[in-house]
């Protein structure tokens, strides 16, 4: 069996307020672990509102500067990309489009959609990890599909994060939500991420059995049935997690599921 290509496009830094280490620290760890590509994708701020668990808007330029410094310092050993993980909220496409600003003015190499917050069909804002009814997973999926169709995003992070909710197990709402997300990925080419941080969260007991909060086996079974490729993201929140057992186990699980792993983003 060939050694898997070591590339990670989902990396956080201390700027988000719930991670350790600066870009230089992650780049150093990535080189030590033999990675050939490293994408920084810290939680993006919004200028008008603090949605929590992310950098302040005033830190954005500092973050970009530090990623550039790491890119230059390690240019002969690893290819480094500057990115952000960000929710797609339609109100930020009006007037001065924030996503276009990040891509065209701040020169992000790519954007990673992490739909922690989403708007439902009534335009109400929700946090996907705290929904009170499973039907909202469908609204989450619709928001993800809308995001994918904008063309702003290369990756949909932890697409099955809705499975984290404990009040119910896999049901018809989750089945429909999965179909919507898969349709969006299939029609746009946005990559679905098999998220290693879900493995780090450990196994819990749910109404549908003892399992990881995510990735969810049924979700990825349907990805396989749709013939889609996927990408593994470390979702590292400290330098030592850039290429840990959760990452290698994720690669093995994806291979076991019969899903081809993508290691090269088309940028």
């Amino acid at each position: 069996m060939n050694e898997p290509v070591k590339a990670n496009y989902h990396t956080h830094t201390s700027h988000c307020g719930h991670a350790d280490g600066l870009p230089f620290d992650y780049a150093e760890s990535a080189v030590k672990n033999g990675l050939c590509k490293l994408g920084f994708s810290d939680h993006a701020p919004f200028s008008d509102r603090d949605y929590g668990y992310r950098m302040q808007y005033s830190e954005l330029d500092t973050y970009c500067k530090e990623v550039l410094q790491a890119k230059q310092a390690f240019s002969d050993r690893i290819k480094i990309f500057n990115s952000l993980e960000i929710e797609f909220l339609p109100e930020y496409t009006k007037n001065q489009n924030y996503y276009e600003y990040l891509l065209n003015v701040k020169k992000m190499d790519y954007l990673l959609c992490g739909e922690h917050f989403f708007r439902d069909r009534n335009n109400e804002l929700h946090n996907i990890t705290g929904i009170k009814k499973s039907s909202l997973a469908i609204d989450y999926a619709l928001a993800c599909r809308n995001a994918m169709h904008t063309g702003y995003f290369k990756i949909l992070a932890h697409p099955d994060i809705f499975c984290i909710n404990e009040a119910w197990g896999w049901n018809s709402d989750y089945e429909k939500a999965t179909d919507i997300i898969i349709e969006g990925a299939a029609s746009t080419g946005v990559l679905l991420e098999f998220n290693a941080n879900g493995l780090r969260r450990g196994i819990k007991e749910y109404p549908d059995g003892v399992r990881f909060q995510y990735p969810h086996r049924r979700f990825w079974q349907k990805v396989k049935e749709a013939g889609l490729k996927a990408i593994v993201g470390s979702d590292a929140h400290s330098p030592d997690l850039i290429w840990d057992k959760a990452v290698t186990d994720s690669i093995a699980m994806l291979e076991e599921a019969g899903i081809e792993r993508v290691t090269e983003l088309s940028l």
Side-chain angles (χ1 to χ4, degrees):
M1 181 177 174
N2 294 329
E3 176 76 14
V5 175
K6 293 184 175 182
N8 173 54
Y9 297 91
H10 193 163
T11 312
H12 295 281
T13 76
S14 59
H15 286 290
C16 73
H18 60 278
D20 298 316
L22 293 171
F24 188 94
D25 303 313
Y26 287 87
E28 188 173 48
S29 177
V31 168
K32 286 181 180 177
N33 281 280
L35 272 71
C36 59
K37 297 180 182 68
L38 176 65
F40 285 94
S41 55
D42 219 339
H43 292 283
F46 293 88
S47 62
D48 63 332
R49 179 172 176 178
D50 184 2
Y51 290 89
Y53 290 95
R54 64 196 61 231
M55 74 176 81
Q56 297 298 306
Y57 190 74
S58 59
E59 293 183 71
L60 180 57
D61 286 343
T62 301
Y63 166 77
C64 292
K65 180 181 178 181
E66 290 174 354
V67 172
L68 178 60
Q69 289 172 338
K71 181 176 182 177
Q72 292 171 339
F74 292 88
S75 62
D76 60 336
R77 287 167 283 178
I78 190 171
K79 195 165 187 178
I80 289 178
F81 303 96
N82 190 15
S83 172
L84 290 164
E85 179 182 9
I86 186 171
E87 291 80 1
F88 177 67
L89 298 170
E91 57 264 41
Y92 292 99
T93 63
K94 298 173 182 176
N95 300 322
Q96 292 182 324
N97 187 307
Y98 188 43
Y99 306 98
E100 292 182 2
Y101 170 76
L102 292 173
L103 290 166
N104 300 327
V105 178
K106 303 308 291 182
K107 302 298 182 183
M108 294 294 158
D109 293 307
Y110 62 95
L111 293 178
L112 189 154
C113 182
E115 201 75 345
H116 306 90
F117 294 92
F118 68 98
R119 291 203 176 275
D120 65 17
R121 284 164 283 187
N122 295 318
N123 205 39
E124 294 182 7
L125 190 68
H126 301 272
N127 184 330
I128 187 55
T129 63
I131 57 175
K132 302 303 182 185
K133 52 184 180 180
S134 64
S135 61
L136 280 170
I138 298 173
D139 293 81
Y140 160 82
L142 291 169
C144 289
R145 186 175 68 181
N146 289 341
M148 288 187 273
H149 277 282
T150 64
Y152 298 141
F153 304 99
K154 293 292 184 180
I155 300 170
L156 179 62
H158 39 62
D160 49 347
I161 194 172
F162 57 85
C163 297
I164 202 171
N165 295 289
E166 300 180 29
W168 50 82
W170 190 272
N171 60 18
S172 60
D173 289 331
Y174 279 14
E175 196 83 13
K176 186 173 181 179
T178 301
D179 289 340
I180 291 168
I181 290 171
I182 287 174
E183 185 278 326
S187 60
T188 63
V190 172
L191 290 167
L192 301 180
E193 180 200 59
F194 196 96
N195 187 277
N197 205 38
L199 274 65
R200 297 186 194 106
R201 290 172 174 268
I203 291 174
K204 297 184 67 175
E205 186 170 351
Y206 284 85
D208 57 347
V210 176
R211 60 170 174 81
F212 291 112
Q213 296 176 320
Y214 60 90
H216 195 290
R217 186 175 297 275
R218 176 59 180 157
F219 181 96
W220 291 98
Q221 179 184 351
K222 290 175 76 68
V223 171
K224 167 64 170 71
E225 291 167 356
L228 296 182
K229 300 176 184 180
I231 192 165
V232 169
S234 172
D235 200 353
H237 284 72
S238 67
D240 61 312
L241 300 180
I242 280 289
W243 201 264
D244 64 344
K245 187 175 185 297
V247 174
T248 56
D249 284 353
S250 293
I251 293 172
M253 290 167 68
L254 204 62
E255 183 176 324
E256 182 183 351
I259 300 170
E260 182 178 345
R261 172 176 164 249
V262 175
T263 58
E264 181 86 31
L265 284 188
S266 177
L267 301 176

